[in-house]
Amino acid sequence: MKIIVCIKQVPNTTDVQIDANTGRLKREGVESIINPYDEYAIEEGVRLKEKFGGKVTVITMGPQQAESSLREAIARGADEAVLVSDKAFGGSDTLATSYTLSSAIKIIGEYDIILCGKQASDGDTAQVGPAIAEMLNIPHVSCVKKIEVVDDNSIKVERMMEDGYDLIESSFPVLFTVVKEINNPRIPSLKGKMAAKKAVIKTFNVDSIGADTKRIGLSGSPTQVVKIFNPPQRTGGEKFVGEAKDVAANLVKRLSDLGII
Amino acid sequence: MVMNYMLSEEEQMMVETARNIAVEKIKPVREHYDEKEEFPWEIVKEFAQADLCGVYIPEEYGGFGKGIMGLVLVVEELCKVDGAIALSLAATALGTLPILLVGNEEQKKRYLPDIASGKKLAAFGLTEASAGSDATGMATTAVKDGDYYVLNGTKCFITNGGDAETYTIFAKTNPSKGARGISCFIVDKGTPGFEFGKKEKKMGIRASSTRELIFKDCKVHKDNLLGKEGHGLMIAQATLDNSRPGVAAQALGIAAGALDEAVDYARKRVQFGQPIASFQGIQHMLADMATEVEAARALLYASARMIDSGTSKRTSKESAMAKLFCSEVAMKVTTNAVQILGGYGYSREYPVEKMMRDAKITTLYEGTSQIQKNEIALNLIKESAAKAK
Ligand SMILES: Cc1cc2nc3c(=O)[nH]c(=O)nc-3n(C[C@H](O)[C@H](O)[C@H](O)COP(=O)(O)OP(=O)(O)OC[C@H]3O[C@@H](n4cnc5c(N)ncnc54)[C@H](O)[C@@H]3O)c2cc1C
Ligand SMILES: Cc1cc2nc3c(=O)[nH]c(=O)nc-3n(C[C@H](O)[C@H](O)[C@H](O)COP(=O)(O)OP(=O)(O)OC[C@H]3O[C@@H](n4cnc5c(N)ncnc54)[C@H](O)[C@@H]3O)c2cc1C
């Protein structure tokens, strides 16, 4: 089974600060990590390989420093890594990112399953996975919480829903985005870390993926960021304190005065 | 900051891996295993998966080949969080060392890869009810019968007993020869005539199983004799020279963990309107604890490096010093950590009471502190006598 896992390097913090002047994320001094959801995607890929044989290739689009995340993915059990990096990719929005990644995946060639995280902890759009699938013209299932059965020609998965889950069957090749419920990622092993140290990371640039330069980077990104800002902290609100009975009565009175109930 | 002991990149890798497992996997479940006294199989799987089980086993047998220093670093790091769960690994090392030290090629190939990969655990069976500090008092016998030895007797207090697959067992092949009549065998779990007796209920290290091993006409093939007949006591001593740093590392880890808890608590706990860390009485306790922990670490690492360098034939004295010092420091530091946490330290809500209970075993097994002193003094006298010649 040939598996490709898309991973993104993100800043290690859930409350990324935004530079008020430039509207960009403040990345200085923040350690870079693998997008947390993508760790689950890597683990699921490695488990599939351990069960059915085959190979796990991790791929990321990002600056040269994203190589460290690829090496960590190898320490976590991936076999090969591809870095898609070029100045021309700078400023990509989700459309350009998905185009670039899907172009690179076409160069990698054969695959049965592509795994992505549900969403990135910084961009947070949850668009890249499904968009890659569209561009490759393959089916996808998002928010997968369990891979149920794998046959020669089909695979059944559980898709997480708010009120339970859907059981979905698909043919190959297929793309899944995964949620944290899917597994419990392993600690990178010593032999994995040694392999990561020695691994040769393949690097693709604009030319090697044969990308249409109009569809990459800023020129390929129809989304324009007008302004990014920290929403103002919510203030005060009304507080009811005291005995539970009195609080409940006061609250009901206030809500009915406001015409809410 | 921690002192710089010039750890290699690979040594740092082992420390980091052990720390990740300790913090992410062990910390959330340590109280559960202490309360329930269950064997921590889910964590053993993590050790195996992360390649920690074979850090001290040579690469040719599937290990990571990082010697006693590798074992020490991993055990210390794990024990900072929990002093009991790591024993599944550390006591396996104790049970495996006889095979590593004196096993023939066939025995090493047969047993080491499964231990290195974490597929199998091992145990070391020396102690008996009437043979503790004095192993020569053992009553278990191994009588030669054709291609087999027939074992009879009962071992007690055996760590990993019942949970391990591979046992290195000491028995008398020639009772009339005393210390020179003991031999060492590898016995597989499931061998007919090999059963498990009662499990000890203990003060500490409750996530570690301690059981009796019972041999009733248990036939062990002569291919499973380790080393030569009659060399058993020597094998046990050589094993302890190599394994005592592992106990020292357990003690050091527990002490370092307790120190961290104590400093952290002292900064936060306010009495008389100020953090208790501002009282000189507390500061001096913390200073002593930190200095003792660092001295223990320096002595232990030096002993482990000496063993791994292979420059000295015997390292009985150095191993005993490391074990004696680290385990006594662990007792002092954990007791003081409880003191600094006051009533909360005595409560099971905080981890230091468990650390104090876990620490105590390190002054007892693999030779009590008194026995370590005997060993150190004996070697001092021998060395001096050799110089005088
Ligand atoms: C409106 C908007 C404007 C933006 N403008 C810019 C800009 O000007 N400059 C700039 O640098 N960035 C910009 N970004 C950020 C960048 O486009 C996104 O971070 C990127 O497209 C991925 O989207 P996401 O972070 O929402 O990932 P999601 O779609 O939430 O990620 C889902 C999954 O897709 C995969 N994935 C996502 N990104 C990658 C990747 N790079 N490599 C491999 N796999 C990946 C991972 O598996 C991930 O878990 C912008 C984002 C938005 C929303
Ligand atoms: C939890 C646990 C796990 C264990 N795991 C193992 C294991 O895996 N394998 C194994 O083989 N054994 C194991 N043991 C046994 C352990 O090694 C012995 O308990 C230890 O060696 C002490 O023996 P003893 O308990 O019989 O004490 P004793 O030998 O009876 O000692 C009693 C006291 O007398 C002192 N003493 C004895 N001789 C002298 C002397 N010559 N000079 C001064 N003082 C002396 C001792 O220091 C001690 O204070 C374990 C024990 C425990 C409690």
Side-chain angles (χ1 to χ4, degrees):
Chain A
M1 184 171 285
K2 294 199 176 67
I3 300 152
I4 294 177
V5 184
C6 300
I7 67 168
K8 185 183 183 187
Q9 193 175 55
V10 296
N12 183 13
T13 164
T14 41
D15 54 351
V16 190
Q17 295 301 306
I18 296 163
D19 187 321
N21 296 321
T22 62
R24 299 217 167 205
L25 303 182
K26 279 198 224 164
R27 288 173 190 274
E28 300 78 39
V30 184
E31 179 201 10
S32 292
I33 57 164
I34 295 177
N35 173 39
Y37 280 105
D38 301 349
E39 286 187 12
Y40 297 81
I42 296 167
E43 176 67 29
E44 200 59 24
V46 173
R47 287 188 189 188
L48 284 169
K49 172 189 79 174
E50 284 170 352
K51 218 162 158 190
F52 301 104
K55 190 170 83 174
V56 175
T57 305
V58 279
I59 176 170
T60 191
M61 180 187 92
Q64 201 62 43
Q65 66 162 33
E67 190 185 309
S68 63
S69 287
L70 292 173
R71 289 195 190 275
E72 190 186 332
I74 290 176
R76 291 176 178 277
D79 303 283
E80 286 181 8
V82 176
L83 174 65
V84 187
S85 194
D86 199 309
K87 279 220 164 61
F89 297 137
S92 296
D93 68 2
T94 54
L95 186 71
T97 301
S98 310
Y99 170 71
T100 305
L101 285 170
S102 60
S103 306
I105 288 170
K106 282 181 191 159
I107 301 295
I108 294 173
E110 277 179 54
Y111 51 87
D112 301 296
I113 298 178
I114 301 175
L115 293 166
C116 290
K118 172 174 157 258
Q119 68 195 71
S121 63
D122 54 352
D124 252 346
T125 68
Q127 291 179 6
V128 172
I132 292 173
E134 288 309 305
M135 289 176 185
L136 293 171
N137 200 21
I138 61 169
H140 82 268
V141 182
S142 53
C143 300
V144 169
K145 78 171 186 57
K146 191 176 178 196
I147 293 185
E148 279 257 334
V149 249
V150 183
D151 296 333
D152 284 349
N153 303 313
S154 76
I155 181 162
K156 263 194 208 130
V157 299
E158 291 176 8
R159 172 168 64 190
M160 182 127 106
M161 302 298 285
E162 268 165 24
D163 52 352
Y165 64 87
D166 294 338
L167 188 60
I168 299 178
E169 187 169 358
S170 170
S171 57
F172 294 110
V174 57
L175 182 144
F176 300 131
T177 78
V178 304
V179 292
K180 295 185 175 177
E181 287 73 12
I182 195 162
N183 58 43
N184 186 358
R186 69 195 60 192
I187 304 283
S189 70
L190 293 174
K191 285 174 192 165
K193 283 181 178 172
M194 295 302 287
K197 234 175 61 171
K198 291 186 209 129
V200 179
I201 310 278
K202 267 191 228 158
T203 306
F204 289 178
N205 59 17
V206 177
D207 295 336
S208 49
I209 62 170
D212 175 351
T213 50
K214 288 193 290 299
R215 296 183 67 185
I216 59 165
L218 270 181
S219 48
S221 299
T223 332
Q224 296 295 316
V225 182
V226 179
K227 190 178 171 201
I228 300 184
F229 59 95
N230 285 314
Q233 285 275 335
R234 276 192 214 183
T235 52
E238 243 175 285
K239 264 190 195 149
F240 297 87
V241 288
E243 288 291 316
K245 216 175 114 202
D246 306 334
V247 169
N250 290 338
L251 178 62
V252 169
K253 182 168 180 304
R254 184 82 178 96
L255 289 174
S256 60
D257 286 351
L258 286 169
I260 293 171
I261 54 172
Chain B
M1 267 338 291
V2 284
M3 274 206 199
N4 183 352
Y5 290 99
M6 327 283 186
L7 300 187
S8 69
E9 195 183 345
E10 286 160 10
E11 286 169 341
Q12 288 171 26
M13 236 180 231
M14 292 186 286
V15 172
E16 185 188 278
T17 304
R19 183 183 305 136
N20 284 343
I21 291 191
V23 173
E24 288 173 38
K25 308 286 182 182
I26 299 181
K27 203 167 182 183
V29 297
R30 62 180 172 186
E31 279 136 43
H32 167 90
Y33 283 107
D34 184 55
E35 285 276 329
K36 301 280 181 244
E37 311 198 14
E38 276 169 24
F39 198 78
W41 282 114
E42 61 166 328
I43 306 297
V44 173
K45 265 193 231 153
E46 300 285 348
F47 293 157
Q49 188 283 123
D51 303 320
L52 289 186
C53 296
V55 286
Y56 59 94
I57 295 175
E59 285 170 272
E60 52 188 308
Y61 305 110
F64 200 55
K66 294 294 167 283
I68 297 302
M69 188 66 182
L71 178 67
V72 160
L73 290 171
V74 166
V75 171
E76 176 192 348
E77 209 54 43
L78 294 173
C79 288
K80 285 180 184 170
V81 167
D82 184 281
I85 291 177
L87 268 181
S88 54
L89 188 156
T92 290
L94 171 66
T96 304
L97 277 164
I99 304 175
L100 256 179
L101 293 171
V102 302
N104 59 38
E105 200 49 37
E106 187 275 325
Q107 290 167 332
K108 288 183 182 177
K109 282 205 177 110
R110 187 146 50 100
Y111 286 100
L112 297 181
D114 280 350
I115 293 170
S117 70
K119 219 158 118 191
K120 290 181 177 170
L121 299 181
F124 178 83
L126 180 67
T127 304
E128 296 182 11
S130 48
S133 297
D134 177 14
T136 59
M138 71 174 63
T140 298
T141 53
V143 178
K144 186 117 195 232
D145 179 12
D147 280 348
Y148 290 85
Y149 287 89
V150 182
L151 270 64
N152 275 292
T154 300
K155 297 286 168 186
C156 68
F157 285 140
I158 307 306
T159 305
N160 289 348
D163 296 301
E165 295 290 326
T166 304
Y167 296 79
T168 41
I169 300 296
F170 296 83
K172 283 189 172 161
T173 36
N174 193 344
S176 64
K177 275 195 165 171
R180 292 181 184 280
I182 297 171
S183 303
C184 182
F185 302 90
I186 312 173
V187 185
D188 299 309
K189 184 177 179 172
T191 306
F194 175 22
E195 310 265 318
F196 302 105
K198 77 166 166 141
K199 183 180 166 187
E200 296 298 328
K201 289 193 179 151
K202 306 189 297 289
M203 171 182 184
I205 57 163
R206 294 181 176 179
S208 171
S209 52
T210 316
R211 282 199 181 82
E212 275 180 349
L213 314 181
I214 302 165
F215 300 93
K216 275 190 202 146
D217 294 329
C218 174
K219 280 173 76 178
V220 176
H221 197 271
K222 66 176 172 28
D223 286 350
N224 280 19
L225 173 73
L226 272 172
K228 291 204 177 86
E229 223 181 85
H231 284 194
L233 201 66
M234 252 169 46
I235 297 170
Q237 279 162 346
T239 297
L240 292 171
D241 287 352
N242 283 271
S243 69
R244 281 175 178 156
V247 178
Q250 179 195 14
L252 172 63
I254 297 172
L259 172 63
D260 281 350
E261 295 287 342
V263 180
D264 185 60
Y265 187 86
R267 280 195 306 113
K268 293 175 183 157
R269 175 70 172 171
V270 174
Q271 287 293 282
F272 299 99
Q274 47 193 321
I276 60 167
S278 67
F279 303 132
Q280 199 177 52
I282 297 284
Q283 289 178 356
H284 284 187
M285 273 169 93
L286 290 171
D288 283 340
M289 289 156 76
T291 307
E292 283 167 346
V293 165
E294 209 54 66
R297 184 174 287 128
L299 176 59
L300 172 57
Y301 288 3
S303 308
R305 293 259 191 244
M306 179 177 174
I307 294 173
D308 288 338
S309 71
T311 45
S312 177
K313 233 174 102 197
R314 291 297 297 268
T315 54
S316 314
K317 187 180 78 189
E318 292 72 19
S319 294
M321 284 177 168
K323 195 224 171 224
L324 171 68
F325 194 74
C326 289
S327 61
E328 294 294 337
V329 162
M331 231 20 246
K332 256 193 272 178
V333 168
T334 54
T335 308
N336 282 339
V338 171
Q339 192 67 23
I340 288 170
L341 269 77
Y344 295 96
Y346 198 68
S347 157
R348 288 208 196 166
E349 225 169 281
Y350 285 83
V352 290
E353 63 82 27
K354 174 179 180 294
M355 291 170 166
M356 185 174 161
R357 286 187 283 114
D358 288 348
K360 188 60 213 169
I361 190 60
T362 63
T363 71
L364 298 172
Y365 62 12
E366 295 191 35
T368 63
S369 288
Q370 289 72 30
I371 295 302
Q372 307 306 319
K373 288 181 191 177
N374 291 353
E375 187 83 48
I376 296 162
L378 182 71
N379 279 282
L380 275 181
I381 295 161
K382 269 202 231 159
E383 282 167 21
S384 173
K387 256 190 247 156
K389 259 192 225 162

